[in-house]
Amino acid sequence: MAEVASMEHIRATASMEDIRAVASTLGIDISNIDLDSIHLPPGEDFGIMSDDEDLHEEDPLEYDASFGNVIVVDNLPVVPREKYDKLEGVIRKIYSQIGVIKEGGLLMPVDPDTQKTLGFCFIEYNTAQAHGQPSVVYREAELAREKTNGYKLDRAHIFAVNMFDDFDRFMKVPDEWAPPETKPYSPGENLQHWLTDEKARDQFVIRAGSDTEVLWNDARQLKPEPVYKRAYWTESFVQWSPLGTYLATVHRQGAAVWGGANAFNRLMRYAHPQVKLIDFSPGEKYLVTYSSHEPSNPRDTHRVVLNVFDVRTGKVMRDFKGSMDEFSVGGAGVSWPVFRWGGGKDDKYFGRIGKNVISVYETETFSLIDKKSFKVENVMDFSWSPADPILVLFVPELGGGNQPARVSLVQIPSKEELRQKNLFSVSDCKMYWQSNGDYLAVKVDRYTKTKKSTYTGFELFRIKERDIPIEVLELENKNDKIIAFAWEPKGHRFVVIHGDSPRPDVSFYSMRSGSNTGRVSKLTTLKGKQANALFWSPAGRYIILAGLKGFNGQLEFYNVDELETMATAEHFMATDIEWDPTGRYVATSVTSVHEMENGFNIWSFNGKLLYRILKDHFFQFLWRPRPPSLLSSEEEEEIAKNLKKYSKKYEAEDQDVSMLLSEQDREKRKMLKDEWERWVNDWKRWHEEEEAERQRLRDGEASDEEEEYLAKEVEVEELLDVSEEVLSFDFDQD
């Protein structure tokens, strides 16, 4: 029987080779045994499970003894019995938006003596889940804790939300404090390492074909220096964060940010399926992602999903979902960015426009300021000051012109109106902030009396001056079409391209007039320019008057301080122009919009072409932004005054590089000359070696000299055609 059991075990667990080996050790001739005829005694299995026995076993029941679907909400108002139902309704309304509360799953204890609530409640969510997905069992409860912990019901009641299971952990905290274990300091990677480049160079990123490259702009060497290259790094586009710390890539599963001291490592992922667009907050604290999805019902509009992530942790701070109509502006579809950031680099506020409202959120709790939107009847547009928590909004005319259009400046978070200007016969408005928030220009298109045409003027607001004075500016020919407008960064000047002719005029203005700093004045007008776009240097003073599209890439480098043209040039079919963050260099590029001449040119600020790179299927060129200078304005002024002293070091370096380049150029010319002379000598040698063969082919004539030949001129006449024609003559007979 033991032998039979051994054979049965072998049969169940071993291969045929193993069976033969074991049978041999037992002295059994396996060829004489019919394994299928072997049966175990009834009721005996010798510990061997049948092939189908596990099908009849029942799965052991798993009991969930935890309370992971229960949250505890503390800091609720203490109310008497008569207000119990009202408070319960408010709490249920808040938490039902996050998930389905179990029937009877909201419990708010009452003090039996005072018959008042105790200031907290328990909320139990449904725990229904798909089999095999334990990670989402308590997603609703955890989401409720994340979204409502710190929720401000009113000034005196800010919710403190915890998971019920956390109380076990809290109870295990020892009564006596023990100092935490000190961990050795491990320095993180310096994400600003690129700013310490000894040559003070700037980086840029390009996309061409399937490759994405980050390079140094080495203008001294007249070529870029590679930093990092990767194929298929992104599935659609790349984007620098506003201060240059991160490079963002976009994928079907979501977005990712990259950075590092010596290489670009992935620092964080942000899950958002089918993400299409991304936008950083000005201070890089938050990342907004956007996607739109086809509706299940063809009659419905697309569904929009927006997530606001914490950049460092990857946590979703707030999400927004709804139909395309809910996020569209004036029926014209979704305008990107949906959320506009305000309050300078602190990332304190962001807002979006809705139907008759402007919704402004604060990032401390990611809730609406005062828990309600800012109602503005028929509001069409708004924008934030780049430096202060001030927004400007535009409301068009109402009631067929009986109620004028208006532009209003509003302080946030108080929502106090700082200044308002009523405008009549308005067709449209566009708002332009100066980079420091010192000035605001409102371009106003107005109807003429006949309503058949429009003309344009500007309302100029001096934001930092008392009572915010407003000036009206009209062009000499107020019927001129405004093609482009641009403020000087950090300055007081602005430029307008205007006119209806193929060669419009370019006018320069200043918000200062001689000794009077409170009056706008015209500096000059350049007549008949091939320009339709303006590109100021980020440091001011210099500007490029560019003729893109129909003007085929005409470039004029202009010095506004001296009011003179420094250079004119052309980058044929240029589609994009971008200054580097220091204002020393500018890049012009031809993207894959055109099939030919794809690539980019790097120019000096005064219009000298430094180098040119051609790239097939060229998609993007982006300079890496720099964070604001750590120097104070006084320190910057001191450097400007003593620039010659500081520049000696760099002039010496430039001279060394210039000498090196000159030496390299001389070596290159010498190499070309040597190659030419080697080529000539080779041909002379071949000529001498073939002299005998040439003599043979010339029937013994040995000379190759031209003067030993007799030149004869022979004239040959050839009759090409002969034709006969009968002419008739009429003679008058008087």
Side-chain angles (χ1 to χ4, degrees), residues 63-71 98 124-129 133-146 163-165:
Y63 296 98
D64 187 358
S66 68
F67 294 92
N69 61 326
V70 180
I71 60 172
I98 298 171
E124 183 179 2
Y125 284 99
N126 282 336
T127 58
Q129 67 173 97
Q133 294 181 352
S135 62
V136 297
V137 176
Y138 307 126
R139 185 176 181 276
E140 290 179 344
E142 291 173 353
L143 196 61
R145 179 187 60 179
E146 290 179 8
M163 304 296 295
F164 188 86
D165 282 346

Side-chain angles (χ1 to χ4, degrees), residues 99-124:
V100 179
I101 298 175
K102 198 171 184 178
E103 186 176 351
L106 198 161
L107 175 63
M108 191 160 47
V110 176
D111 188 324
D113 297 330
T114 63
Q115 292 298 302
K116 291 183 178 181
T117 59
L118 295 174
F120 64 90
C121 74
F122 303 94
I123 298 175
E124 183 179 2

Side-chain angles (χ1 to χ4, degrees), residues 111 192 260-261 304 317 319 326 337 339 391 412 418 622 681 730:
D111 188 324
Q192 278 76 38
V304 169
M317 306 306 295
D319 61 9
E326 293 177 53
F339 295 114
L391 60 82
I412 299 297
L418 302 176
L622 295 172
N681 291 332
D730 293 331

Side-chain angles (χ1 to χ4, degrees), residues 346-370:
D346 295 331
D347 296 346
K348 290 181 67 175
Y349 307 106
F350 64 97
R352 72 179 180 95
I353 193 169
K355 187 175 182 181
N356 299 323
V357 296
I358 295 175
S359 300
V360 180
Y361 302 83
E362 46 88 15
T363 55
E364 186 176 344
T365 62
F366 280 86
S367 57
L368 286 167
I369 292 178
D370 297 333

